[in-house]
Amino acid sequence: MAKFLRAAWFATKAGIGVGVVYVTVDQGVWGNSRSTAAVYDKLYDIMPGTKSVSEKYLHLPKKEAVNVNFRSYWNTGVFYTFDFIANLPSKVASLKDYIVDFASSPPGSSPKSEEAQQTEEKTTMDNPGPPTQDTAENKDK
């Protein structure tokens, strides 16, 4: 029974999709621009007020008013997309290392980065601390 319901549900969804495509092709939505404009005029006749709303609120700027170099934006987007794809394996590996370090560190202590540890070790080696005075008391101990 469950298989029949799944098949019926799929057939219903597929039928709706096919029906929408059939009606839009039959009405001429996917035809040339004149037939599409005629379909939109019919639609506006069915739903009065939509044409005035669209004319009132949907203003496209004039070509002269738009001074944007879309080509450079497109090229920048393509560059960053492929740069992200190229660096994805290394970013995933570094994320894995960060998660492992975070999970293995005891609570309450924040893990130091490698640079901070190296800097701390270098300053400790360069500055061993204040010199101790060798007094007679220290020598006896």
Side-chain angles (χ1 to χ4, degrees), residues 36-100:
T36 305
V39 170
Y40 284 131
D41 287 337
K42 286 184 210 175
L43 182 66
Y44 290 136
D45 291 340
I46 294 170
M47 296 184 298
T50 55
K51 199 171 208 176
S52 63
V53 169
S54 65
E55 290 173 355
K56 183 177 179 182
Y57 294 110
L58 300 176
H59 292 291
L60 292 177
K62 301 285 185 205
K63 183 179 178 184
E64 297 80 27
V66 178
N67 189 14
V68 178
N69 188 358
F70 290 110
R71 183 180 295 162
S72 67
Y73 286 127
W74 175 263
N75 290 341
T76 303
V78 169
F79 173 76
Y80 283 119
T81 301
F82 282 101
D83 183 53
F84 173 78
I85 292 170
N87 293 327
L88 188 61
S90 63
K91 292 193 183 291
V92 169
S94 65
L95 179 65
K96 178 203 58 105
D97 293 339
Y98 176 76
I99 290 172
V100 167

Side-chain angles (χ1 to χ4, degrees), residues 107-127:
S109 67
S110 61
K112 293 182 180 178
S113 67
E114 289 182 24
E115 279 185 27
Q117 289 176 352
Q118 289 175 356
T119 306
E120 188 176 297
E121 289 173 5
K122 184 177 180 185
T123 55
T124 305
M125 293 173 74
D126 291 343
N127 301 324

